[in-house]
Amino acid sequence: MAEVRFPEDEFDEDSLTCPVCQELYKDPKLLPCLHTFCRKCLETWAAKQSAGRKFTCPLCRSPVELPCPVWSGGVDKLYSNFYINKLLDFRRLRQSKTSRVLCEMCKSGIQAAAVCGDCSFLLCNNCVKIHGHTPALKDHVIITLYDIDNATKRSKYTRQVYCKKHSQRTTFYCEPCETLVCRDCTVDDHCRDRDGENHDPRELNKVTPKCKDCIEDLMKKTEDAVITKINQQEENLDKGLKTLDKNYAEEKKKIKQHYAKLMSTLKLEEEQMIQKLKKVKKDRKNELIHRKEEMARDLKETREGLLFCQNVLVRNSDTELLFYWQQMEKRLQELASQDTGNATFGDFKAVSFHPCSLPRIWGSLSVFPWIDVKGPTVVGLPCSVTVTADNLDPTGEDVGPQVEVISPKGKTTLIETTATSPSVTSGKGQTSRVRSFSAKWRPQESGKHSLGVCMGGLKDLGSLTVDVGSNNPVLRFGRKGSQQGQFNRPTDIAVRGDRLYVPDTFNHRVQVFDLNGKFRYSFSTITSSGSIAVQIDGTIVVRSAMEVAKFSPSGKTLQKFPLDEYCIKPYGLAVQRDGRVVVTDPDKHSIFLFEEDGTLVKQVKGQGRGEGQFKEPCFVCVDNEDNITVSDRDRDCVLVFDKNIRFKNKFGEYGNQPQNMVYPLGVSADSRGNIVLANRGGQNIKHSEKLQVFRPNGTWVSTISSDGDKLNLPHGVAVTEDGHVFVADPGDHCIRKYRYM
C-alpha cells in the first residue's frame, strides 16, 4: 500500500469547487494558463464565445485555442488535472466512513475501502486482494483509508496515463515526439533504430530531471523578471500616491496664502485654481491607481502560475511532471516575457503653483511631466516613451514636450513627441485635463541613459534613468562536427515559412531546422554546399561547388546546371519569384542572371567604383519586388538593382561610425523592404562583427551589438516575419538568432 500525508485544509470544498459552476469538479480540465474547470463548464463557456476553436479563460482571459472545434470534442482533448482528480478520489474514499460508498469494480454492493490510481475505481477489500494476486494488476497503486489516516509520508499515488493503442501504462517518454508512450510503443511506433525516423524513448525517471531543471530555471527567471519588478514598482507607485497627496496639500496652502492677499473680486479665480488642482490630482491619481491595479492583476496571474508549477514539483510525480512540463514551460515563458514597464518615482516632479505680479493678478498652474518607457530597452530595438503632462507650459503656450536623451558617453539627442489625447480648455485658456504624449526611441548603445522632459524652453521637467542592455542572441545552436545539428563552416542560411535551411559546407549537405533550432531533417549535396535560397513553392536552390542544384522540399534532386562556362569562383545566390537565379562572382567582378534551366539571361560586370560597378560582389538577396541587393565586400557598400539588373542606387561607405560598413557579407531583405547586413569588420574598427539594419532607401536604422556570445565571423543572414534575423557564423560553426525590429 502507498503511504500518503494529506492536509485537512485541502479537503475543503473551495479547493475542489469549479470557479464557474461553483460545484465539485466533474472531469476537471487544465487550460494552458494553468487554471482548472469542469469539462462541461468549459464546453458551455467556449460555445458561448465561439462555435469554433478559440475562446478565453473564464478567470484570467488568456486566449485558448483547442486542437479541434468544440462540437468535435475539442475540450475533451485538454489535459485532465491529475491533482484535482486525486483529491476527488481521496474525498470519495473518506466519505465511505460516514456514508455507504460502494465498490466500483466488482459491482457486488460491498462498501469501498480503497482507491486504485490505475483503474480510477473505488475498491472493496476483496478487489484489493484480487489486485495483489492478479499479474496484470499487481503493480497498480492502491490507497486505503488506513493509509490516509495514519501515514506520515507524502503519497506517490496519482492517476496513471494509459496508452490508447496498447492499453498499457505509459512508462516511457519519447523526447523527439514529446509524448508519453508505453513499452510496446517503444518497439512498434517509437523504435529508436527505425529507419528515417527520429525517436528516443527513455524511462520516465531518466527524463524527469531535465524537465524539472527546466521548470525550476523558468520559475526563477519568471520570479526575477516579473514579481520582483512588480513589487519594486508597487513601492514606487505607493510613493507616488503619497507624494501626490503631500504635494496637493502644500500647493493648496500656497494658493490660499496668495489669494488671501488679493481683493475679494479674485475669490472666483481662487476657487477655479483649486478646482483645477483637484482635477489634476484626480487625473494623476486615477492613472497611478489604474497602473497599480494592472500590476496587481499581473502579479496574481504570475503567482498562480508559479504556485501551480511549485505544487507539481513538490508532489514529485514523474508522470504528472512530464505530462505538464511543456505546458508549464510555455506558460512560464509567457509570464516571464510580460512587459511591466519602467515607471519610477525616484525623481518625482511635483505640481507647482506660480503666483504672478500685477496687472496679471491671477496665478498659473503647471503639471511637471511624468515619463515612462515601455518595451524592451535593448540596443537597436524600438521602445515606446510616454510623457504625461499638462499641455500648457509655464509661459502659457500650448506646446508638446520633447524628450532629451543623454547616453552613457554624454551624447545628447532630442526626440519629438506626438499628443495621444486631445486638449480640453475652459475659461481664460486654462486646460482642464492632463494630456499624454508619445514617441519612439531606439537606443544605440548599452548602459544607463538619462531621459529628461523639455517644454517651452525649460529643461529637466521630469526625468527617468533607463538601463539599456546589449542585444544578445535569443538563440544559438550548433558546434563543429558531422552529427545532426552540428556544422563544418556554415556560410549561408535561408528562411521559408517555419523552416530554416543551412548549407553545411564541408559536410556536403543541407540541414533543415524549425525556427526554434530543432533539427528536422537533412539531405546530401554530394559536393561542398555554399549559398542557398528557397523558392515560394518550397524548391531548395543551392550553389554547390561550380553548379546550381535544385532539390524538392524533401531533398530529392530535381535539376542541376553548371556555372564553369561563365564563372571563375561563384559565391552568392538568390532566386526571383519566377524562378530565375542570380549568382555573384567576386573574382570575375560580375553578377549573372539565369533562367530556371540555366540559360544565361544577362551578365553585369565592371571592376571599379563607378555607378553599378563591382570590386568583389559577395552575398545577394531579392526583395518582394525582385529587386536585387548585392554586398560588395571590397568597396564596403551595398548596390541595389531592379529585377533585370539595371542599377538603382548604392549606399554605405568605409568608416568607424555605426552606419559605416567594413567588409560587408550576408544581406537579407524583409517583407517591408528593410535590409539586414552582416559586417565582418577589420582591425581597430569599433563596429566589427556586427549586424546593421537599413531602410529600403539605404537610411541607417540601427546597429545590433552583442556584449555576450559575440559574433565571430558573421556571413549569411536570413530574416523572419516576426522581426528576428538568423546569422551563419562559420568561425564558431554555429547559428545565432537576434531580434532586429
Side-chain angles (χ1 to χ4, degrees):
M1 300 299 177
E3 293 184 333
V4 61
R5 178 175 60 82
F6 195 76
E8 289 291 333
D9 58 353
E10 292 199 35
F11 278 119
D12 184 78
E13 294 290 333
D14 290 342
S15 63
L16 300 177
T17 298
C18 172
V20 175
C21 65
Q22 296 298 310
E23 296 181 1
L24 286 178
Y25 284 109
K26 298 179 183 65
D27 192 8
K29 294 292 183 179
L30 187 69
L31 294 183
C33 59
L34 307 183
H35 289 132
T36 302
F37 306 93
C38 296
R39 178 176 58 82
K40 288 289 186 183
C41 293
L42 284 178
E43 288 175 347
T44 303
W45 177 265
K48 287 180 179 179
Q49 290 197 30
S50 170
R53 299 168 55 180
K54 297 181 179 179
F55 64 98
T56 58
C57 170
L59 285 182
C60 68
R61 307 302 181 188
S62 295
V64 179
E65 183 169 355
L66 298 175
C68 57
V70 175
W71 62 77
S72 298
V75 172
D76 201 45
K77 305 291 184 183
L78 295 170
Y79 293 144
S80 297
N81 189 311
F82 274 61
Y83 192 56
I84 295 297
N85 277 324
K86 173 180 175 177
L87 300 186
L88 293 172
D89 288 343
F90 287 164
R91 185 179 183 278
R92 288 193 300 160
L93 186 58
R94 291 191 61 173
Q95 283 180 334
S96 65
K97 282 185 172 184
T98 57
S99 60
R100 187 171 178 77
V101 179
L102 305 182
C103 177
E104 296 177 338
M105 187 150 185
C106 63
K107 306 295 183 182
S108 61
I110 301 176
Q111 185 163 346
V115 60
C116 178
D118 291 78
C119 304
S120 301
F121 285 158
L122 293 172
L123 308 175
C124 64
N125 288 324
N126 289 334
C127 290
V128 172
K129 293 178 181 178
I130 291 172
H131 269 62
H133 293 90
T134 303
L137 306 176
K138 66 178 183 178
D139 293 330
H140 285 201
V141 179
I142 296 176
I143 297 294
T144 69
L145 274 173
Y146 177 82
D147 295 321
I148 294 177
D149 294 336
N150 299 286
T152 58
K153 296 181 180 179
R154 187 172 293 273
S155 171
K156 289 184 177 293
Y157 163 85
T158 185
R159 288 195 178 189
Q160 302 300 315
V161 178
Y162 275 75
C163 174
K164 294 182 179 179
K165 181 176 180 180
H166 300 106
S167 300
Q168 293 185 22
R169 184 187 295 178
T170 53
T171 56
F172 289 81
Y173 186 78
C174 184
E175 288 192 84
C177 299
E178 300 177 345
T179 186
L180 291 162
V181 296
C182 70
R183 186 175 296 277
D184 286 353
C185 286
T186 64
V187 177
D188 294 347
D189 303 320
H190 296 265
C191 178
R192 183 181 286 107
D193 299 325
R194 185 178 293 274
D195 293 338
E197 296 188 22
N198 184 23
H199 295 290
D200 186 22
R202 302 170 65 194
E203 291 87 349
L204 300 185
N205 59 3
K206 293 182 180 179
V207 184
T208 300
K210 176 182 176 182
C211 302
K212 184 176 181 180
D213 291 343
C214 175
I215 295 300
E216 287 177 339
D217 184 57
L218 280 170
M219 288 176 63
K220 185 178 185 303
K221 289 180 179 178
T222 302
E223 185 170 5
D224 293 342
V226 181
I227 291 185
T228 302
K229 195 170 184 179
I230 288 180
N231 284 336
Q232 292 173 349
Q233 293 200 27
E234 276 193 322
E235 293 178 3
N236 288 332
L237 290 171
D238 288 336
K239 182 179 179 181
L241 290 168
K242 292 178 181 178
T243 305
L244 189 62
D245 288 335
K246 181 180 179 181
N247 174 228
Y248 168 75
E250 291 175 350
E251 296 309 310
K252 181 178 178 180
K253 181 179 179 181
K254 288 182 182 179
I255 293 171
K256 286 187 172 293
Q257 290 174 345
H258 174 72
Y259 282 98
K261 300 176 182 179
L262 301 178
M263 299 170 59
S264 60
T265 55
L266 297 177
K267 185 64 177 177
L268 179 60
E269 181 67 28
E270 177 188 7
E271 292 302 322
Q272 288 177 344
M273 293 301 295
I274 292 176
Q275 289 302 316
K276 180 181 178 182
L277 183 65
K278 289 181 178 179
K279 184 64 173 64
V280 169
K281 175 192 174 183
K282 180 180 178 181
D283 290 342
R284 295 286 296 281
K285 191 169 186 177
N286 287 343
E287 177 70 18
L288 295 175
I289 292 173
H290 176 68
R291 288 180 177 235
K292 187 174 180 181
E293 289 173 347
E294 288 182 338
M295 290 179 182
R297 286 195 296 270
D298 291 343
L299 185 62
K300 182 175 181 294
E301 291 179 18
T302 302
R303 283 176 170 164
E304 287 175 348
L306 289 171
L307 179 60
F308 180 92
C309 296
Q310 181 64 41
N311 288 339
V312 170
L313 296 179
V314 169
R315 290 194 287 273
N316 203 24
S317 167
D318 293 347
T319 302
E320 183 179 9
L321 176 60
L322 290 174
F323 203 78
Y324 294 141
W325 83 270
Q326 296 171 48
Q327 191 169 340
M328 292 191 295
E329 179 188 34
K330 181 178 179 181
R331 181 56 174 166
L332 289 171
Q333 288 173 340
E334 291 174 355
L335 294 173
S337 63
Q338 293 181 80
D339 180 14
T340 57
N342 291 280
T344 177
F345 285 88
D347 298 320
F348 179 83
K349 297 289 185 173
V351 176
S352 294
F353 173 71
H354 305 281
C356 296
S357 302
L358 292 174
R360 189 186 179 196
I361 56 176
W362 56 84
S364 65
L365 190 68
S366 64
V367 180
F368 284 98
W370 169 22
I371 185 171
D372 188 19
V373 176
K374 288 186 177 180
T377 50
V378 174
V379 173
L381 300 185
C383 55
S384 177
V385 180
T386 303
V387 178
T388 305
D390 189 337
N391 68 307
L392 193 69
D393 76 3
T395 66
E397 298 295 329
D398 186 4
V399 297
Q402 293 177 310
V403 178
E404 182 183 63
V405 181
I406 303 177
S407 72
K409 296 181 180 179
K411 182 179 178 180
T412 300
T413 306
L414 278 179
I415 304 175
E416 299 292 335
T417 63
T418 303
T420 55
S421 61
S423 172
V424 179
T425 60
S426 61
K428 297 184 180 180
Q430 299 290 324
T431 60
S432 61
R433 58 170 293 175
V434 173
R435 297 180 67 191
S436 294
F437 302 82
S438 65
K440 289 293 182 182
W441 174 44
R442 193 186 292 264
Q444 299 299 337
E445 61 179 276
S446 59
K448 294 187 181 298
H449 291 64
S450 176
L451 276 64
V453 179
C454 308
M455 187 164 58
L458 299 179
K459 292 187 176 182
D460 197 27
L461 301 180
S463 62
L464 177 68
T465 299
V466 178
D467 195 358
V468 176
S470 167
N471 192 350
N472 294 325
V474 298
L475 174 69
R476 170 183 170 153
F477 63 93
R479 57 188 175 88
K480 189 173 184 180
S482 58
Q483 301 298 315
Q484 70 177 35
Q486 297 177 345
F487 304 103
N488 192 345
R489 293 190 69 81
T491 56
D492 200 7
I493 197 165
V495 169
R496 175 64 67 182
D498 61 352
R499 287 292 180 265
L500 183 71
Y501 303 83
V502 184
D504 193 357
T505 307
F506 296 130
N507 283 327
H508 301 170
R509 64 184 177 182
V510 170
Q511 296 195 70
V512 183
F513 304 83
D514 64 19
L515 298 188
N516 293 315
K518 185 173 182 179
F519 176 83
R520 292 305 182 183
Y521 65 93
S522 65
F523 60 88
S524 173
T525 57
I526 309 300
T527 57
S528 60
S529 54
S531 296
I532 190 169
V534 183
Q535 296 180 220
I536 295 175
D537 64 359
T539 300
I540 304 166
V541 186
V542 182
R543 196 275 301 157
S544 184
M546 292 296 293
E547 65 181 11
V548 171
K550 295 187 178 182
F551 302 88
S552 70
S554 62
K556 180 181 179 181
T557 302
L558 300 177
Q559 177 194 359
K560 294 182 179 180
F561 62 84
L563 297 172
D564 48 8
E565 180 182 350
Y566 310 103
C567 300
I568 299 175
K569 187 178 180 181
Y571 199 93
L573 175 144
V575 180
Q576 295 180 329
R577 287 176 295 176
D578 60 2
R580 297 196 299 179
V581 179
V582 184
V583 177
T584 66
D585 188 332
D587 283 16
K588 209 165 184 177
H589 319 291
S590 301
I591 58 175
F592 301 86
L593 180 63
F594 297 94
E595 295 287 4
E596 284 188 282
D597 60 1
T599 303
L600 179 64
V601 177
K602 187 177 182 180
Q603 175 186 0
V604 174
K605 62 180 179 179
Q607 183 178 7
R609 295 184 176 273
E611 184 177 281
Q613 290 184 313
F614 305 104
K615 291 201 71 176
E616 290 189 1
C618 193
F619 282 87
V620 60
C621 72
V622 296
D623 61 19
N624 285 346
E625 298 178 355
D626 283 342
N627 293 314
I628 301 168
T629 303
V630 183
S631 62
D632 192 326
R633 64 192 182 193
D634 197 45
R635 288 187 64 186
D636 303 304
C637 69
V638 167
L639 295 96
V640 182
F641 301 82
D642 69 10
K643 64 181 181 180
N644 296 312
I645 326 185
R646 288 191 292 261
F647 178 76
K648 294 182 68 175
N649 69 293
K650 163 195 166 292
F651 61 90
E653 61 182 0
Y654 180 85
N656 211 2
Q657 297 303 312
Q659 67 272 21
N660 294 145
M661 302 178 189
V662 181
Y663 210 84
L665 294 172
V667 62
S668 182
D670 62 21
S671 60
R672 298 171 295 276
N674 297 308
I675 297 170
V676 181
L677 184 71
N679 274 263
R680 178 179 172 180
Q683 292 184 346
N684 301 320
I685 299 298
K686 182 169 60 174
H687 296 283
S688 292
E689 294 89 36
K690 298 290 178 71
L691 303 177
Q692 293 172 301
V693 184
F694 296 89
R695 297 296 183 202
N697 62 2
T699 302
W700 173 75
V701 175
S702 64
T703 297
I704 300 174
S705 64
S706 180
D707 292 344
D709 189 17
K710 295 183 177 181
L711 288 164
N712 182 2
L713 196 65
H715 272 62
V717 294
V719 297
T720 66
E721 285 301 313
D722 62 353
H724 289 84
V725 56
F726 286 93
V727 188
D729 192 331
D732 287 335
H733 307 281
C734 72
I735 305 298
R736 292 182 177 88
K737 181 182 181 181
Y738 295 86
R739 182 177 171 189
Y740 76 95
M741 290 297 285

